[in-house]
Amino acid sequence: MGLFSKTNQNIGSGSDIEGADSRKGFYWVEDYKGENVMWRLPRNVMWNDNVLVREDEYGIFFRDGKALQVFDRPDRYALTTQNIPVLKSILGTVVGNVQIGEFYWAQKREFRDKFGTSQPLAFRDVDFGVVQLRIFGQFSYKVVDPLLLITQFVGTKGLTKSEEIVDWLKGQVVVVLNDTLGELKTKKQMGVLDMPAYLQEIEQLCLAKLTSETEVYGLKIMKFSGLNINMPEEVQEAINKRGAMSALGVNYMQYQSGKAIEGIGQGAAQGGGEGAGFAMMGAGMGAGMGMGNMMSQSMGGMGGQPAPFGGQQQPQQNAAAGAGAAAGAAASAPTVKCAKCGADVSSGTKFCPECGEKMIPAGSAVCANCGAALTPGAKFCPECGTKCGAPKCPKCGAEVSAGTKFCPECGQKL
């Protein structure tokens, strides 16, 4: 506890009058130190006041918007020209009780704090467009130049409370963080999905930038870590869907259809009973009727006569008409016999469906060497290049007609 003496005006660090003890002749005072990085004596100091500076503190004398003297060693100091030489040139000869300025304390130890974005940061991603990111983390800092601290914050910015300085510091962290994310996106094409791989680099870049930004205010960022980047729920859901589709090897429509069928199944299982069965039946009937309507419209567009009730044919009539047309077409189509197995084969078929023998059109000439069909007037076979002419028996040389299996002269198998 610091204290004011009624006679000597001894002032402890960050003190304020709390109560008096008239028997002992001094005032007990409240200690304002706590977690404050900086705090001010609640009243102006007078000429020849004694101030107490502890081992873990800086004492700073402040006057006319500028820090004039720093007391960085633990001791009790009288505020006179002996300890503050600059007062001689400012005040000259001092007589009586005169207010000479203000007195501040700043702690030497390292402070730790947390930060977070009060408003989401807008990040333009290649895959998801503009994404709103919320970022949280931890940092530590300490006072390295108390003269700059008091001059810049108290004299220039008018900040006299420790929480005001910490709020400013957190704001600087968010600004530097936003700038770092934009830099990595421009230089390395970093996307939202890539950020977890860049966390360490983001922390190092932010620490370097914050050091240069805050040292001019007498503060130094000692550590920047624990970065946590949170994406909106809808973006996280889209990422999960993309991962599921990639694992299943399906596209978006297939994935959604599967989820819909799964939902119907789960609803039926949870609901149970006859009602669930009818629900599943209704869904199946609806799908079947929709496909039937599409098929009937397609057949109607190919020349069918429109049936009553809305211009669509009935399914039974369509099926009967289709079967009759197929039977008539099969009956009227010309057929030829396979030379190998004798099966009836539709005209124009290239191979016999029974034995696989190559079909030769009726009345066409064939190559004597390979048996390929020859076009009328062809002089050479298009398949093997053999000169075309009337086929001859390889044994007796007699001319035979195309398609003959045995020579009519000597009986040689052709």
Side-chain angles (χ1 to χ4, degrees):
M1 288 280 183
L3 53 88
F4 288 137
S5 170
K6 285 186 175 180
T7 56
N8 296 328
Q9 293 293 308
N10 296 324
I11 303 172
S13 60
S15 55
D16 193 8
I17 297 174
E18 279 290 316
D21 188 337
S22 58
R23 293 173 301 172
K24 295 182 179 180
F26 56 80
Y27 294 103
W28 288 104
V29 296
E30 179 187 0
D31 191 355
Y32 280 88
K33 189 173 183 178
E35 291 298 316
N36 291 322
V37 64
M38 177 199 76
W39 65 100
R40 176 185 180 273
L41 184 68
R43 66 168 178 82
N44 290 342
V45 290
M46 311 292 290
W47 174 264
N48 205 29
D49 274 345
N50 292 328
V51 294
L52 177 65
V53 178
R54 301 174 184 175
E55 291 183 359
D56 60 343
E57 300 171 346
Y58 295 105
I60 306 100
F61 176 73
F62 183 84
R63 177 185 171 88
D64 297 332
K66 187 176 181 180
L68 299 179
Q69 183 70 37
V70 174
F71 303 96
D72 57 354
R73 291 182 300 172
D75 204 346
R76 185 184 300 274
Y77 298 91
L79 301 183
T80 62
T81 55
Q82 182 178 356
N83 289 318
I84 311 176
V86 71
L87 287 177
K88 186 173 183 180
S89 61
I90 296 176
L91 300 177
T93 303
V94 180
V95 179
N97 292 331
V98 179
Q99 294 184 359
I100 58 175
E102 304 171 24
F103 202 85
Y104 289 85
W105 285 268
Q107 295 201 57
K108 295 179 179 180
R109 71 181 180 89
E110 182 177 327
F111 290 84
R112 296 181 180 181
D113 212 327
K114 299 179 180 180
F115 73 91
T117 53
S118 57
Q119 297 294 330
L121 299 180
F123 183 82
R124 187 180 298 277
D125 186 72
V126 177
D127 298 320
F128 303 101
V130 178
V131 179
Q132 302 291 330
L133 300 177
R134 289 191 176 274
I135 306 178
F136 305 91
Q138 303 173 359
F139 68 102
S140 64
Y141 61 96
K142 66 182 298 184
V143 177
V144 292
D145 192 330
L147 273 177
L148 283 177
L149 178 77
I150 302 301
T151 299
Q152 292 292 338
F153 285 109
V154 180
T156 304
K157 293 183 176 294
L159 305 180
T160 58
K161 297 181 180 179
S162 179
E163 57 267 23
E164 293 175 338
I165 296 176
V166 176
D167 288 342
W168 174 87
L169 195 57
K170 292 180 180 180
Q172 290 298 111
V173 170
V174 174
V175 170
V176 168
L177 183 58
N178 195 13
D179 180 67
T180 301
L181 293 180
E183 180 180 337
L184 288 175
K185 178 184 180 299
T186 302
K187 293 183 178 180
K188 298 190 176 182
Q189 288 74 48
M190 181 188 69
V192 170
L193 299 179
D194 303 322
M195 286 185 180
Y198 282 90
L199 285 182
Q200 186 175 4
E201 186 171 353
I202 293 173
E203 292 175 357
Q204 292 175 351
L205 288 174
C206 288
L207 180 60
K209 292 181 179 180
L210 285 169
T211 299
S212 60
E213 289 286 336
T214 58
E215 280 187 340
V216 295
Y217 292 90
L219 294 171
K220 183 177 181 180
I221 302 296
M222 307 301 295
K223 189 175 182 181
F224 186 87
S225 61
L227 205 59
N228 186 4
I229 302 176
N230 296 330
M231 289 170 285
E233 293 183 2
E234 56 272 16
V235 176
Q236 188 62 52
E237 184 179 354
I239 294 174
N240 294 338
K241 283 184 179 181
R242 175 174 291 187
M245 288 188 293
S246 177
L248 296 172
V250 297
N251 57 30
Y252 180 76
M253 293 301 297
Q254 292 170 336
Y255 178 80
Q256 291 296 100
S257 300
K259 295 295 287 184
I261 294 173
E262 181 182 354
I264 294 174
Q266 290 177 354
Q270 293 175 1
E274 185 177 357
F278 278 117
M280 293 288 290
M281 185 184 299
M285 290 176 63
M289 291 176 65
M291 294 181 65
N293 289 335
M294 292 172 62
M295 292 176 65
S296 62
Q297 291 175 4
S298 177
M299 292 180 66
M302 292 189 295
Q305 295 296 327
F309 309 109
Q312 295 182 355
Q313 294 180 342
Q314 297 181 3
Q316 295 84 351
Q317 296 176 352
N318 290 339
S332 59
T335 59
V336 294
K337 287 187 177 293
C338 175
K340 184 175 182 180
C341 65
D344 291 331
V345 183
S346 299
S347 179
T349 304
K350 294 184 177 181
F351 295 91
C352 176
E354 297 292 334
C355 64
E357 182 71 14
K358 187 174 182 181
M359 300 297 296
I360 299 175
S364 62
V366 295
C367 175
N369 183 38
C370 64
L374 301 175
T375 57
K379 295 182 178 181
F380 294 92
C381 175
E383 296 292 335
C384 65
T386 303
K387 187 175 182 181
C388 299
K392 294 182 180 181
C393 174
K395 185 176 181 180
C396 64
E399 293 185 359
V400 294
S401 58
T404 303
K405 295 183 178 181
F406 297 93
C407 177
E409 296 294 333
C410 64
Q412 175 67 28
K413 186 177 181 180
L414 300 178

